[in-house]
Amino acid sequence: MPLFEKYTVDLVINGHNHQYERTDVIKGGQVKELPIGGTAHPETDGVVYVTAGAAGRGLYAFSAPDSYEGHEHEADSVASFVNTEEGRRNETVTWSRVRYLDYSFLRVDVTPAAKGHRTTLTVSGIAETGRRIDHFTVARTAK
């Protein structure tokens, strides 16, 4: 995470876990809420992390309830866990904003801009039915 913040990364997408989960914006260990439909500014807010791994093999279960567009389950924190060399370690996290446990994929639309103007990434989580389960924007000044 420190390297992503150091280089002002706009968005981190990974897919190891077989599910869809999106964080709020995180910077310096601090969490800033990024609601569904919200906008993050990496230069000031930090980085958004998305696990978009729900397109293939069997899906993993969450230790927290699903919460996605049209089916929000607001929670200040949720139970989670980390796998370590010593085994599974339970933890409580405040950054888990969207959780969807069915097949889905991630769509990212890029709006480029000339230097000094606003450029955006419009990010949408899409269920296999075609229904949108999440959307947010990442905006920054083009360099």
Side-chain angles (χ1 to χ4, degrees):
M1 289 177 73
L3 285 175
F4 294 141
E5 292 174 14
K6 178 180 178 180
Y7 293 103
T8 320
V9 170
D10 295 327
L11 176 66
V12 174
I13 302 169
N14 68 74
H16 180 71
N17 288 333
H18 300 189
Q19 59 200 25
Y20 178 91
E21 185 172 25
R22 193 242 314 154
T23 70
D24 284 320
V25 188
I26 304 171
K27 184 175 185 177
Q30 299 299 309
V31 177
K32 179 179 179 184
E33 184 177 333
L34 179 61
I36 294 171
T39 300
H41 300 90
E43 297 156 315
T44 56
D45 298 340
V47 183
V48 178
Y49 298 82
V50 177
T51 300
R57 297 186 53 125
L59 301 171
Y60 297 168
F62 284 111
S63 52
D66 281 7
S67 182
Y68 54 90
E69 190 166 340
H71 182 79
E72 287 88 357
H73 181 90
E74 298 296 329
D76 292 334
S77 62
V78 297
S80 188
F81 66 90
V82 175
N83 286 318
T84 68
E85 289 181 11
E86 293 79 34
R88 180 175 163 158
R89 185 182 79 224
N90 293 328
E91 64 180 11
T92 300
V93 299
T94 59
W95 45 254
S96 182
R97 177 59 44 198
V98 178
R99 297 170 301 281
Y100 182 75
L101 189 56
D102 211 337
Y103 293 102
S104 62
F105 66 94
L106 193 68
R107 175 181 171 169
V108 180
D109 294 299
V110 179
T111 304
K115 184 177 179 179
H117 294 270
R118 182 179 167 164
T119 183
T120 60
L121 300 174
T122 303
V123 184
S124 298
I126 309 292
E128 77 174 317
T129 62
R131 181 172 181 249
R132 189 173 67 187
I133 55 167
D134 187 20
H135 73 284
F136 62 96
T137 301
V138 178
R140 69 160 51 243
T141 303
K143 296 183 180 186

